[in-house]
Amino acid sequence: MKFVIKLFPEIIVKSRPVRKRFISQLKKNLRKLMLEVDESIIVGGKWDFVEVRLENGLDHYEAEVLQILKNTPGIDFILKVKTHEFDSLEDIVRITVDEYKEIVKDKYFCVRAKRAGKHTFSSTYLEQQAGGALLQNSQAAGVNLKNPDVTVNLEIKDNLLFTVDYRVEGLGGYPMGQQEACLSLISGGFDSSVASYLMIKRGIRTHYLFFNLGGMAHEVGVKQVAHYLWEKYSSTHRVLFITIPFENVVTEILTKVHHSQMGVILKRMMLRVAERVAEEFHIPGLVTGECVGQVSSQTMTNLSIIDQATSMLTMRPLITMDKQAIIKISRETGTEEFAASMPEYCGVISDKPTTKARKEKIEFEEAKFDFDVLSQAFDQMKVENIDSLYQVETNIDDIAVVSMPAANDVVIDIRHPQELAVKPLYLTNNKVLPIPFFKLQSTQELNKETDYLLYCDKGVMSQLQAEELTSKGYKVKVYQP
């Protein structure tokens, strides 16, 4: 089995040295990802041609490999193909008929061909010959060039013919590792999660900065969504999750600042700290989930005043998007359910927030603020590598890990529904409950008399959730088969 990778078009139009560097990075990323599936999977191709081959009985990995390819930045689309050698146009026509005569039965079809290399025939002529032969030697309903039921895709490279079983769209963007990094101010809601995803999609290594305004439940929730984004779309590169305790900053604003200016000043304080964090880790740009007009602090006037708190580039990939479009992307990427169940803490609420902040008034209010509190928040920041996020939080020795369920154990598969659909968990003798980890703590399905085993692919999320449930009196272990 072979997948042919088609590159994001912006890579193709780069100069030859740049294109070669980008493609080399994509191959390197794919090799790292495929090693986690099976070390026998081959990532190959010439310098401008990328393919992933599953040989020697590895066909059962098809769905898992395809899911990885769909979520890897730098790929425009993926073709599952069969490879055939040919010597003449007649060979191509014969192979086309053999491969597709059953597929086009009782259907309208068309043939589309692409070529690379020197041949004695044109792509159009090939389409005509293959289409005519397929029509004569099959029970197809006919040819329809504008709206076919089946499109027969033929790809030719030198003396190789690739017949395409199906095509799947990729993320696009650039390969991770060929762009500079950014620091995303993430709250776990729809906007900041989608903004982070869009930066990752562009091939930008995205680190995460969370301002804790007073809630541990919120912090845990944000860590979950950040870890999910990293693991699904950018796990080829390590990133940081940085937490800034901001409770005292909020208290200072609430007690010193006029209520109408609180929202803008809070955002300015966040950018000031974010700039210091970014400089500490040599990150050249900040990212927020703001878009024009969504809330009072996000008018163009207010955003301009907020930006003046820092000299660092602040990127807003959602700036003109409406909420429904943001939620749609959130649903497609798998972060919608995180955002919908995310515990929140509103640090500053104003009954009449300004929509047209004036710089002199903001500076007057900020003059009342004790900036030592801001420095203390920066000094107390907590820095964690996202791939070891939960090991830091969890005392593993306190959570039992088992490789074989007991007869009465109930296994809870806490993976994201998208992961579960690709690689479901089947057990012969034990009941399996599919409860996503972001719903586990609030579910009403559990009782304290049952022995539960939590399952996820790597056991990381299971350990975190087991600790939380154990503290509530449930009997929980981690299942790692």
Side-chain angles (χ1 to χ4, degrees), residues 130 151 188 213-214 236 244 327 356 360 406:
T151 299
L213 303 182
T236 53
I244 301 288
I327 292 175
K356 292 187 177 180
E360 61 274 13

Side-chain angles (χ1 to χ4, degrees), residues 2-19:
K2 179 189 292 186
F3 293 103
V4 173
I5 309 302
K6 295 299 180 178
L7 304 169
F8 181 52
E10 289 183 27
I11 298 175
I12 298 171
V13 300
K14 301 285 186 185
S15 66
R16 184 182 178 92
V18 174
R19 187 163 73 249

Side-chain angles (χ1 to χ4, degrees), residues 21 34 40 57 72 113 210 269 273 296 327 431 466:
R21 190 175 74 245
M34 294 305 153
S40 302
T72 301
F210 170 63
M269 296 301 174
V273 175
S296 60
I327 292 175
K431 182 178 181 180

